[in-house]
Amino acid sequence: MIDVRRISILLVTLFILQLAGPMNSSAQTNPPQNAGDWTIPSNDVTYYNNSQALIQGDIHVYGTLIVQNSNVFVWGANNGDRNFHIYSGGELFFNDSVLSSYSSSCVDFIAHSGSKIYSDGSRFDTFCDIEVNSKNVYFNNTIFEKSRLNIDIDEVDSILIDEARTPLVI
């Protein structure tokens, strides 16, 4: 005879496992193919590897954006038309990559308080202002070309900028 109790426990266990699965997974938010903002929602981990993107809008990072060996270009018609925001709780990992304006117009980059930036072997090019208001910032072997870097000392406990080349405003 079939043991109803064991089957019930097995079915309940399988049901719980199915519910737990989606809570532990992370989504992938790809850049838009046409004009529009690229938004990485909170609790989202997006990997962008060995690729090239042309963003015809702003970039908003609430979750985690990991860019590896890629080029990300932001297209705006006028200086300051486009913005790259990393909000509180948002994380940007930028490794061996280029983040640049697609045109000669510069882009604004703002790392809000509570955000995290890690950049290694990368280049930030043609930014009106790179405003860093976060305690969690690491730039290693990073080039800031045609860009103004502004670090908010009030929010920073310590600064480590290793092999970065740019005029610094601190």
Side-chain angles (χ1 to χ4, degrees):
M1 190 160 153
I2 300 175
D3 187 0
V4 176
R5 185 174 177 188
R6 285 187 180 168
I7 291 176
S8 298
I9 292 172
L10 178 64
L11 289 174
V12 168
T13 304
L14 288 174
F15 178 73
I16 291 171
L17 288 175
Q18 285 179 331
L19 287 176
M23 289 186 275
N24 294 328
S25 67
S26 60
Q28 173 73 29
T29 306
N30 292 317
Q33 297 300 314
N34 298 310
D37 294 347
W38 187 14
T39 301
I40 311 302
S42 61
N43 300 320
D44 182 47
V45 178
T46 294
Y47 295 88
Y48 197 70
N49 300 315
N50 304 309
S51 298
Q52 184 166 301
L54 176 60
I55 310 301
Q56 299 176 50
D58 296 332
I59 300 174
H60 303 280
V61 179
Y62 297 93
T64 301
L65 175 58
I66 301 168
V67 179
Q68 177 71 40
N69 196 34
S70 297
N71 297 319
V72 177
F73 298 100
V74 182
W75 189 0
N78 299 303
N79 289 342
D81 271 358
R82 299 295 182 215
N83 298 293
F84 190 122
H85 288 274
I86 306 170
Y87 297 96
S88 180
E91 301 175 315
L92 173 65
F93 295 89
F94 211 72
N95 303 306
D96 300 316
S97 298
V98 173
L99 178 60
S100 178
S101 172
Y102 183 72
S103 66
S104 61
S105 299
C106 61
V107 177
D108 287 324
F109 181 100
I110 300 105
H112 298 270
S113 180
S115 64
K116 180 177 183 179
I117 302 173
Y118 175 89
S119 175
D120 192 10
S122 296
R123 180 168 57 106
F124 291 77
D125 192 351
T126 317
F127 282 88
C128 306
D129 192 29
I130 298 174
E131 184 178 332
V132 179
N133 297 312
S134 176
K135 292 181 180 183
N136 301 306
V137 178
Y138 176 78
F139 293 119
N140 181 54
N141 194 23
T142 298
I143 298 170
F144 300 94
E145 192 171 320
K146 295 180 272 182
S147 300
R148 181 175 182 268
L149 180 61
N150 180 11
I151 300 173
D152 184 356
I153 296 296
D154 294 335
E155 188 67 25
V156 177
D157 291 332
S158 64
I159 298 173
L160 173 59
I161 299 177
D162 187 19
E163 294 184 40
R165 289 174 266 167
T166 189
L168 292 177
V169 177
I170 297 181

